Amino acid sequence: MSNRIDLFHVEVPMTEPFRISSGEVSTKESIVVRLEREGVVGYGEASPMAGGFYSAETPATTLDYMVREAIPAVLEDGTFHPPFAARYVNEREADPFAWAGLEGALWDLEVQERGLSFLDMLGAECKPVESGLAVGIYPDLDGLLEACSRYMTAGYKRLKIKIEPGWDVAPLRAIRDRFGDIPLMVDANAAYAEEHFPVFDEVDDLGLVMIEQPLAKSDLGGHARLQERIDTPICLDESATDADALTRAFDIGACRIVNLKIQRVGGILLSKKLCDLCAAEGIPTWMGTMPELGIGALHALYLAMLPNCAFPTDVEASRRWFVEDIIDPPIEVFEGLIDLPPAHRQRPNVDMNVVDRYTKTAKRFAF
Ligand code: MG
């Protein structure tokens, strides 16, 4: 019986470029992990953004880290259980994206070996998940409004637009004028500083559900000062790296909502722990995305079924961003809801034909 870990660095064309305050991508790169052990095959996905503008990690650095450090550590440990990944991330300087990919494959092995599902292991009930539309930064208001109109037909439960200095109040007012009182939020991806606080006084009057990560990742104090100044809840994303960061954020009042991302925190188990920490503090959460291809997206959907995930997820229909997805069937949104197809209820059903079609490079580790 062959025991092995295969890594597939895939690049899937996107249906439109995704632009945020710090950069733009037009293809989706991921590292698909295929872990085969004693006849059972598990899949995971490491999904850093190309260009490294969301975080320091890129597909190339994550792949290199997996080859050099993470896979040798998994093989040396030899338990093939998810808690090993969580411990590794907690105890060392680690690439969380790489570990999210490997840990996802470890979960997939474990659910099959134990005859359970991801939802069983998380203690979550299968239910429809509300999906929110995320729209990037456009060159002009007409382009933004046209994109919003095009995708809102799927009935997404809220609209999130990306903002940056100079592209904030005007697009929000244009959306309010066109679409009225819809649930609306913004994500600044850390593009602002204290000198911009007056902008948020104006944004505060627009009735947003939340403002996501207005300030720098390390600037929890600034977030606390801004939250004291405005009524709109602040949601942390880039800053919400681990339990220490969240505890400090809660202590000083730096946010009222947390966006949980499996990739950013280093896996499903750590995401669940942070979700539990937020619940204990009375802080609602929701599941964000990079966005990932289907494996990572399904993992986020499983977590989105936890009770403390109280806002629509960023997981959208597969075809919203990708010309093709690596899971079968792809994710669909109907009237703003994602109903988990039976094929994905135990675990993601991966289509290796699609993975092969978009693979740039592959690496194999036999053990
Ligand atoms: Mg964000």
Side-chain angles (χ1 to χ4, degrees):
M1 211 171 285
S2 71
N3 289 336
R4 62 192 209 224
I5 299 176
D6 289 298
L7 302 178
F8 303 92
H9 182 179
V10 299
E11 183 169 12
V12 178
M14 296 176 77
T15 54
E16 65 169 337
F18 184 40
R19 184 173 159 214
I20 67 174
S21 57
S22 46
E24 177 178 304
V25 285
S26 57
T27 60
K28 172 63 201 172
E29 291 183 57
S30 274
I31 298 147
V32 175
V33 181
R34 182 186 183 280
L35 168 52
E36 179 170 352
R37 183 169 172 263
E38 291 164 13
V40 183
V41 177
Y43 291 98
E45 177 182 347
S47 212
M49 251 193 176
F53 52 78
Y54 171 82
S55 66
E57 293 82 4
T58 66
T61 64
T62 293
L63 183 62
D64 175 64
Y65 173 87
M66 290 169 104
V67 169
R68 192 170 34 79
E69 182 169 332
I71 288 175
V74 167
L75 296 180
E76 192 191 330
D77 170 65
T79 62
F80 295 93
H81 288 309
F84 173 72
R87 273 199 308 279
Y88 202 97
V89 173
N90 272 339
E91 289 169 6
R92 300 163 206 242
E93 280 289 313
D95 176 329
F97 297 84
W99 283 103
L102 286 165
E103 192 236 23
L106 296 175
W107 274 74
D108 202 6
L109 280 190
E110 186 142 328
V111 299
Q112 293 174 79
E113 285 164 0
R114 293 173 62 182
L116 299 172
S117 67
F118 275 74
L119 290 172
D120 293 334
M121 296 222 332
L122 289 167
E125 294 277 327
C126 190
K127 62 180 185 187
V129 174
E130 291 192 333
S131 172
L133 178 68
V135 173
I137 293 169
Y138 281 79
D140 54 51
L141 292 176
D142 286 345
L144 172 75
L145 293 173
E146 193 276 320
C148 294
S149 303
R150 185 160 17 113
Y151 294 113
M152 296 267 278
T153 53
Y156 284 99
K157 294 292 185 185
R158 59 102 174 111
L159 172 61
K160 155 167 148 180
I161 67 163
K162 297 287 188 175
I163 58 169
E164 64 185 3
W167 178 263
D168 36 46
V169 176
L172 284 169
R173 290 212 171 110
I175 286 171
R176 280 281 182 244
D177 286 347
R178 172 72 68 90
F179 300 106
D181 194 25
I182 57 167
L184 179 63
M185 61 177 283
V186 289
D187 185 1
N189 290 104
Y192 293 81
E194 297 221 27
E195 72 198 65
H196 301 110
F197 278 11
V199 171
F200 292 99
D201 295 336
E202 286 186 78
V203 171
D204 201 25
D205 291 333
L206 292 166
L208 302 187
V209 180
M210 68 187 87
I211 298 170
E212 188 177 335
Q213 194 71 40
L215 310 176
K217 177 180 171 179
S218 60
D219 191 7
L220 289 180
H223 283 98
R225 287 189 288 282
L226 181 58
Q227 184 65 91
E228 196 166 280
R229 179 179 172 126
I230 61 174
D231 293 327
T232 309
I234 289 178
C235 171
L236 293 181
D237 173 355
E238 283 88 338
S239 299
T241 49
D242 55 30
D244 288 346
L246 281 185
T247 303
R248 173 147 187 269
F250 300 157
D251 283 348
I252 64 171
C255 70
R256 293 185 195 146
I257 300 170
V258 171
N259 169 343
L260 289 174
K261 280 187 181 159
I262 297 168
Q263 300 285 324
R264 184 195 64 226
V265 307
I268 295 168
L269 193 59
L270 290 170
S271 301
K272 168 72 164 63
K273 288 192 165 156
L274 294 182
C275 185
D276 291 345
L277 171 70
C278 292
E281 297 289 331
I283 301 285
T285 54
W286 55 281
M287 291 309 300
T289 64
M290 295 308 300
E292 294 97 313
L293 293 170
I295 301 171
L298 284 167
H299 292 164
L301 284 177
Y302 301 140
L303 282 160
M305 293 181 198
L306 291 169
N308 198 52
C309 287
F311 296 96
T313 176
D314 267 347
V315 176
E316 298 166 74
S318 296
R319 293 203 177 86
R320 155 75 178 103
W321 288 114
F322 313 122
V323 297
E324 203 169 3
D325 207 339
I326 58 174
I327 53 167
D328 181 28
I331 294 167
E332 303 217 42
V333 174
F334 183 68
E335 294 183 347
L337 297 174
I338 300 171
D339 265 315
L340 205 56
H344 300 311
R345 289 213 180 137
Q346 186 201 8
R347 51 184 288 269
N349 185 46
V350 177
D351 187 339
M352 276 306 295
N353 292 321
V354 181
V355 173
D356 286 341
R357 191 144 64 236
Y358 293 102
T359 293
K360 292 168 37 158
T361 54
K363 294 188 186 296
R364 172 165 295 179
F365 302 79
F367 63 91

